[in-house]
Amino acid sequence: MNRAARFLVHNWPLKLGAVILATLLYSGLVLSENTRTFTGSVPIEEVNQPSSVILLTNLPDVVRIRYFAPNDGIRLDSSSFRATVDLSAVDPTAGRVSVAVRVEAIDPRIQILDVEPSRINIQVDEVIRREVPIEVDTGDIPPGLDVREAQLSLGSATVVGPSSVVKRAARAVARVRIDPSGIDIDRDVDLIVLDELGEPLSQVDVEPSSVRVTIAVFTDRQTRSLAVNPIYTGTPAAGFEVAAVTVEPVIVGVEGDADQLAALTRLDTQPISISGISSDLDRTVALSLPAGILALGVDEVRVTVTLRAVTATRTFSAGLVVAGANSSLTYDLSSDRVLVTIGGSVADLDRLTASTFTVRIDVSGLGPGVHEVPLTPNLAAGLTLVAVAPDTVSVTIASPPPTGSPVPSPVP
């Protein structure tokens, strides 16, 4: 036993190293038998691309993948792998940068050892925005036509893209062609971004992508003066009505082809809403012109809507309240209620309620006897008295019998 133990511990570091080396050699032999190479093309995709970064170069493919897989007949193609480059940490102002290529196997039993290429160089740029004017290019105008200046729904557009390209943008152009027959232009037209030399710029977007272009084209131009017709929609607030609608100017000159002008009898304005208003409205609005008709020297008109309160009458049954009575006298009324008809705006009348509406009858300075006292209800501003029925009330005033006076005996 002692000899065997001495054999085991004698030069034990060398013996341990030999065992480890033999294990590694055996493992390498087994691994090399299961290491394979895929030589198909796997497209590289960008991931985690910030909105401020734009990629200017096309990404290449991974052309070689060395991997380890169990020897059980696994069949692979380009869809078995996914190759990506992470752009989350890329500086958009750096220009040309080198990024690592990461390849993953769809099958978790496959272990990627190395790929080619393992890194790629890409060209990046910073995404910027720039506002440019919108222009219209009509090209060559056919002879015999009177073409007026184009009207645009927008005056400018925003160019978005790589800073190196966007900085060269000079304008956004809407290209239209005038038909020899003289048809008016009124449609949406796509925008093209051009540089100072008039060359189109690629790799940029324009917002909006199109603009509404309206161009009047005349073949037999004539002029005419027409009355302006103000248009309004809706109704005022409760208790109000439209008293008058005026417009300034009243007459506007227009021009257009003779056949179009012949069909016009007036010029409507764009509609304005008076829904719910309770005071006069003064508004500047545009004319609603048919296609091909142009106003001469006037783009907008002033419309004034004048309101008035809606008046009505309402009859209340009002209780009588004695005012100015002498505490030493008694008062007997021929009626304790009267009918009062009041006129005024609906809003003011709505604020009156029959339960709280009373009429004072003034007996100040009246002595014992029978008196016809007129009724004069005290009304709030804006209300008028139409009628009171009856308009007078008989008031019998008497002195009460002295205290302690004998009460007459009834006659047998």
Side-chain angles (χ1 to χ4, degrees), residues 301-324:
V301 296
R302 180 174 295 276
V303 175
T304 303
V305 180
T306 305
L307 300 184
R308 66 185 172 204
V310 177
T311 58
T313 61
R314 198 166 298 175
T315 300
F316 297 91
S317 177
L320 298 179
V321 177
V322 177

Side-chain angles (χ1 to χ4, degrees), residues 30-340:
V30 174
L31 183 63
S32 64
E33 291 179 352
N34 292 324
T35 299
R36 303 171 188 176
T37 301
F38 177 78
T39 56
S41 295
V42 178
I44 299 177
E45 308 170 12
E46 68 274 11
V47 295
N48 302 324
Q49 182 175 347
S51 59
S52 60
V53 174
I54 188 169
L55 188 61
L56 300 181
T57 53
N58 295 324
L59 298 179
D61 295 341
V62 171
V63 296
R64 187 180 69 85
I65 302 174
R66 196 164 67 90
Y67 64 93
F68 171 78
N71 190 14
D72 58 356
I74 296 178
R75 303 177 67 88
L76 302 176
D77 57 23
S78 296
S79 63
S80 303
F81 303 94
R82 184 184 181 219
T84 60
V85 287
D86 189 348
L87 303 183
S88 60
V90 169
D91 181 2
T93 63
R96 191 171 184 83
V97 296
S98 175
V99 291
V101 177
R102 183 170 183 261
V103 176
E104 299 174 290
I106 305 302
D107 191 332
R109 295 174 298 171
I110 299 174
Q111 179 182 351
I112 305 298
L113 300 178
D114 61 67
V115 300
E116 184 182 334
S118 60
R119 298 188 70 86
I120 59 174
N121 292 323
I122 59 174
Q123 188 76 25
V124 295
D125 201 350
E126 182 180 15
V127 177
I128 64 170
R129 306 170 66 90
R130 183 183 180 189
E131 190 171 306
V132 296
I134 298 177
E135 300 177 2
V136 175
D137 178 10
T138 58
D140 295 331
I141 297 176
L145 298 180
D146 185 358
V147 179
R148 293 309 171 92
E149 184 178 354
Q151 304 296 317
L152 299 173
S153 59
L154 292 173
S156 62
T158 302
V159 181
V160 184
S163 62
S164 58
V165 181
V166 172
K167 290 177 180 178
R168 295 163 45 205
R171 58 191 179 276
V173 174
R175 289 177 173 167
V176 296
R177 292 297 174 260
I178 305 299
D179 192 274
S181 62
I183 299 176
D184 296 325
I185 303 295
D186 187 10
R187 64 175 182 267
D188 291 331
V189 181
D190 291 337
L191 293 174
I192 303 171
V193 181
L194 304 180
D195 62 12
E196 290 288 354
L197 300 178
E199 295 297 325
L201 296 178
S202 59
Q203 297 182 309
V204 296
D205 295 322
V206 58
E207 301 172 354
S209 60
S210 62
V211 67
R212 191 77 176 182
V213 179
T214 304
I215 304 176
V217 181
F218 302 132
T219 56
D220 182 16
R221 185 179 68 86
Q222 293 185 6
T223 61
R224 187 178 176 186
S225 294
L226 294 171
V228 178
N229 178 46
I231 301 296
Y232 64 88
T233 61
T235 56
F240 295 91
E241 62 184 3
V242 176
V245 180
T246 58
V247 62
E248 178 64 33
V250 178
I251 303 295
V252 170
V254 293
E255 64 178 352
D257 284 328
D259 56 344
Q260 292 178 298
L261 287 178
L264 287 179
T265 59
R266 64 187 184 186
L267 298 176
D268 291 339
T269 66
Q270 294 290 344
I272 58 175
S273 174
I274 62 170
S275 297
I277 66 172
S278 57
S279 59
D280 295 347
L281 180 68
D282 194 358
R283 184 77 53 83
T284 299
V285 295
L287 293 170
S288 180
L289 298 175
I293 301 297
L294 298 180
L296 298 174
V298 175
D299 295 326
E300 296 177 322
V301 296
R302 180 174 295 276
V303 175
T304 303
V305 180
T306 305
L307 300 184
R308 66 185 172 204
V310 177
T311 58
T313 61
R314 198 166 298 175
T315 300
F316 297 91
S317 177
L320 298 179
V321 177
V322 177
N326 188 331
S327 60
S328 64
L329 301 174
T330 62
Y331 298 87
D332 184 24
L333 306 181
S334 62
S335 175
D336 62 349
R337 304 191 72 81
V338 292
L339 295 178
V340 180

Side-chain angles (χ1 to χ4, degrees), residues 326 329-331 363-371 395-399:
N326 188 331
L329 301 174
T330 62
Y331 298 87
V363 296
S364 302
L366 298 179
V370 179
H371 305 273
V395 181
T396 302
I397 306 175
S399 299

Side-chain angles (χ1 to χ4, degrees), residues 407-412:
V407 178
S409 299
V411 178

